[in-house]
Amino acid sequence: MADEELEALRQQRLAELQAKHGDPSGDPSQQEAKQREAEIRNTILAQVLDQAARARLSNLALVKPDKAKAVENYLIQMARFGQLAGKVSEQGLIEILEKVSLQTEKKTTVKFNRRKVLDSDEEDDY
């Protein structure tokens, strides 16, 4: 009886750790759903993009996966609403990338905090 309880606790703890660390092997239905979603995305993108644009998008995914995901979502949305007339060429993809870059551009600002140091010699200089 104690061995069964111990094994049940081990299985429960293993499931908690896998859920905490995002291990997809714990739930096969989630893994299958993600795989189906990825297949659907790939088929839509294959229908929408020509070979050169597809290659450029996959290169972008290696360097900046978040930006590539945003462009993929944008293209899929445009395809679903029928806003794309034919396949998107590499030049068309470059224009879409520029639009996405402008929308997600981060402005960096530098602020200097100048501290006044109290120095007894400052008063004597004037």
Side-chain angles (χ1 to χ4, degrees), residues 14-26:
L14 180 64
E16 289 175 5
L17 288 173
Q18 287 176 344
K20 182 179 178 182
H21 294 293
D23 191 11
S25 64

Side-chain angles (χ1 to χ4, degrees), residues 32 59 74 76 96 104:
E32 289 176 15
N59 287 340
Y74 181 72
I76 290 171
I96 292 172
T104 60

Side-chain angles (χ1 to χ4, degrees), residues 39-51 54 75-76 79-80 84-89:
E39 288 176 10
I40 291 171
R41 290 176 68 87
N42 286 336
T43 55
I44 291 173
L45 290 173
Q47 292 172 355
V48 170
L49 297 173
D50 67 356
Q51 288 292 22
R54 187 96 169 120
L75 286 168
I76 290 171
R80 286 187 177 157
L84 294 176
K87 288 194 171 204
V88 177
S89 65

